[in-house]
Every structure is written in structure tokens, then in C-alpha cells.
Amino acid sequence: MKKARILLVEDDEAQAKILANYLEHKGFEVDSTFGAKEALQKIEKESFDLILLDWRLPDEDGLTLLPKIKEKSPFTQVIMLTAFATVERAVEAIKKGAYHYLTKPVNLEELLLVIEKALKESRLEREVELLRARLEELSPPETPEIIAQSSYMKEILHLAAKVAKTDATVLILGESGTGKEILANLIYQLSPRKDKPFLKVNCAAIPEGLLESELFGYEKGAFTGADKAKPGLFELAHQGTLFLDEIGDLPLPLQAKLLRVLQDGTIRRVGGLKEMQIDVRIIAATNKDLEEMVKEGSFREDLFWRLNVFTLRIPPLRERKEDILPLAEAFLKKFAQKHGKEIRGFSREALEALFSYHFPGNVRELENIIERAVILAENEIITKEDLPPLLKGKTEIIPELLKSLPLPEAIALLEKERIKEAMASAQGIKTQAAELLGISERVLRYKLAKYGLE
Ligand SMILES: Nc1ncnc2c1ncn2[C@@H]1O[C@H](COP(=O)(O)OP(=O)(O)OP(=O)(O)O)[C@@H](O)[C@H]1O
Ligand SMILES: [Mg+2]
């Protein structure tokens, strides 16, 4: 994690030296200037987390400098230092946006406490600013419970837990509804950055023109309507994690800007000159085939390689049928509770239908199907009738279903399906069907009655 950056604006060289030495020793990165003009120039070009501002400077009064600083850099905390403290002056400084004021000679321990508190609060402030802007998207994810029965998903969770511990860029690929976002949440929650901001942006949902200022922020006057400077998501996510969802939909000009962020960790606000150092962990996701897009020229190859550091590819649900039953059961529990219904499980026909379906909408579709079924269910078992018509068509025996059923039921299911097939090929003639199955006609009749197939 990067050190917090402090700018010291103090014309008394001896005093500046003492403060700088002390703060560097305490683990901060300290830069010093002696006058107001120089200070403003610095703030123009670099970003600081905190400024220690002397009240009396050779070229300008600290108190008039303060609002200029705040305008250029609203998230930078300013602590005023003064030799002549009065209540009036203190109030005035706070009104103009100072975090605190201290009297000289400065008590170093007190200074350290105030700095730490100020930095903590400014981090909170960044988060609050964002919360206001997008309350809905920001509800911070709890460690999500990801269901993983298939070996594919187990392996993905294993890899995710490992990469979560690092700052490496993660690219999550998978069809729509396979669980890319829930996996991104998990990586964030397992990462050392879990107490820092986690911001999400859906590159497909925001119009191109807005996306740039959303990501990079803008300076006052950058365009009509920009009546005050606004930090972008990269800035707000400083020291935290940014989830770039639907990265395949990022327009080419922004791909170039994103590449720069990934390469040298700096951003520039729209209409701004200053390069800001940021420390943000990127998780990106898409359901697009990025490699194909690179070939077509709609996705930058250099950006693709920057993102493709650690890639997790979630297979579609139909390729990991072992996950269907545990997911269906978890959703059943969740929605039964939500809708206040007592439902124990699924009928065998319902399960057969679920296992035979190809789920183009993957886990999200399964989730919706189960919620609908819970709403429709008349008794304590979900039946095939509660499933959407699409699932009521032909079913086939799926090995995963056979494996998940108790042995007698699995045998019965297999038997029933074979008999249905044989009866169909024999066009209903029982002697022929019995022959196909290698059983006597008498046994066939018995079984037809047993399974209600007559
Ligand atoms: N393995 C899983 N365990 C539990 N819930 C899951 C799992 N995978 C997906 N879900 C749930 O399925 C839904 C869709 O998941 P998510 O939004 O993460 O998919 P996505 O891949 O981001 O989809 P899209 O491409 O459409 O944005 C969510 O409600 C999520 O909680
Ligand atoms: Mg998603």
C-alpha cells in the first residue's frame, strides 16, 4: 500500500525541517515548499493526501490560500499551523475548509494524532461522496456464498482465493449470468483491501460521453455544466478495488486511457493537467470474447494483455450440471423464506426437467426459475407444473441427475425412461417393446402400470 503524501507549506526552514524529519520517520512521504505560489503550483501537478499549512507565508496569507487549495483538490485535508491562536481565527479556518488548526511550537505527538484522524476521515469522505452518487450500486457486498459442487467451480474458487491475496489484475470471463460479479465480490472480500472502497462500474450501462468523466473525474469548467471539480471512480477507489464490469463494451478511446492507468498508475481528470498517482486494484469482467474482439480490431491488443494477467473463466451452467441441484436447493431455501412458504424440495420430474435444460441465462436464469416456481407452488414440493413451459418439453436422462438421486430412485428413473423409449420405437406394441428391453411381456405390463405409462 502506498504511503500517504503530505505537503508541508512553511517558510520557517528550521521548523519545516523538524516537521519533515519527524513525519518521514513516521512513514509518510513528505514534500516541502516555502511559499503560497509554489504550493499551488505543486498541487496543480501532484496530488497530496494532506497539507500542513502555515498561517503566515511570505507571499500570501494561509487563510486566503486555503480555499484555493480546497477548490483544486477537494479531498486533500488541510491542517493550519499558527503562532497566534485565537478562537475566532480557528473558527474562520475551519469554516474555509481546514480540518484542524494547531499552535506553534507544534507538539509532534498531537500533530501525528490529528494527521492520522484527518487521513482516516478523508478516506471516509471519498467513500461517502460516492455513496451519495450511487447509493444502489454501492451496497457493499458481504462475503458472498458461492455454491461450487463441480470440479470446475471448486478449482475457480481455489484460484480466486489465491489471487485475492495479491494486487494482480483479475479478468473474469463467462457467459451472462454465470456468476462473474459474485466472484468479483468474493475476490474483493478475501483481499487485504477489503476495508477499502470497492467500486463498480458497468461499462455497458453508461453512455460513452459520461463514462470518461465517471471514471476519471473532471475539473471545474472542463465542459458546460462542470461547475465544480468532481473526482472520478479511479480516484475514489484509491487504495481500494475497482470492478470494471462489461469491459468488452469499453469504447476504444477509453481503452487507451485505461491502458495508461494500468501501465503507470496515473490518471488525469477531464480538462485537468495534473497527473495523479493512484493505487487501485482492477477486477474486470466480460461475457464477450475478447480475443475475437482483438482480431476484429474492436479491442486493443495491448490492453487485452494487460488485463489478461490472471484470468478466471467460469463455464456455462450446462457444462457443470453438478452445480444445478445445490444451486436450486439454495435458491429454493432463499425464496421460500422470502415469500413465506414452506417448501421442502423438488419432485423427481421437476428435477429431471431442470437437469435436461440448457440454461442459456445460466445461474441467473435458474435463480429466476426457482423464484417463480416458489411463488406458484401449491404444496410443499415444487413440481414440473411450477416450472416455465420451456422446461416442460422432452427430458432426457442426465448422468449427473442419476448420480445425485438415491439408488432406488435412480434405478426407477432409468427404467422408466428406457420403457418409454422402447414403447415409442415399438409404436405401442407391447410384445415388441418387451423384446427390445429383453424382458417378458408380463413384466413389462407390470412396470407400465407401476410408472403410470399406460
Ligand atoms: N456459484 C454461485 N452460487 C450462488 N449464487 C450464484 C452463483 N453464481 C451466480 N449466482 C447468482 O446468480 C446471479 C447472477 O450472477 P452474477 O450477476 O454474478 O452473474 P454475471 O456473470 O455477472 O452476469 P452478467 O454477465 O449478466 O452480468 C446472481 O444473483 C448471483 O448471486
Ligand atoms: Mg455481471
Side-chain angles (χ1 to χ4, degrees), residues 255-273:
Q255 289 178 24
K257 280 196 101 174
L258 175 61
L259 180 68
R260 248 207 14 215
V261 181
L262 295 179
Q263 270 168 349
D264 48 48
T266 61
I267 59 148
R268 201 166 4 165
R269 288 185 184 167
V270 178
L273 298 171

Side-chain angles (χ1 to χ4, degrees), residues 9 25 34 42 108 121 133 143 162 169 176 180 198 219-221 251 286 293 317 328 347 379 428:
V9 189
H25 175 70
F34 303 113
K42 263 204 191 297
L108 292 178
E121 281 181 29
T143 310
K162 282 200 150 176
T169 299
S176 174
K180 296 183 294 295
F198 180 54
E219 292 296 345
K220 182 175 170 178
T286 182
M293 290 180 72
L317 188 56
S347 75
N379 24 54

Side-chain angles (χ1 to χ4, degrees), residues 180-181 245-246 364:
K180 296 183 294 295
E181 182 164 352
D245 203 0
E246 316 289 1
R364 180 175 303 108

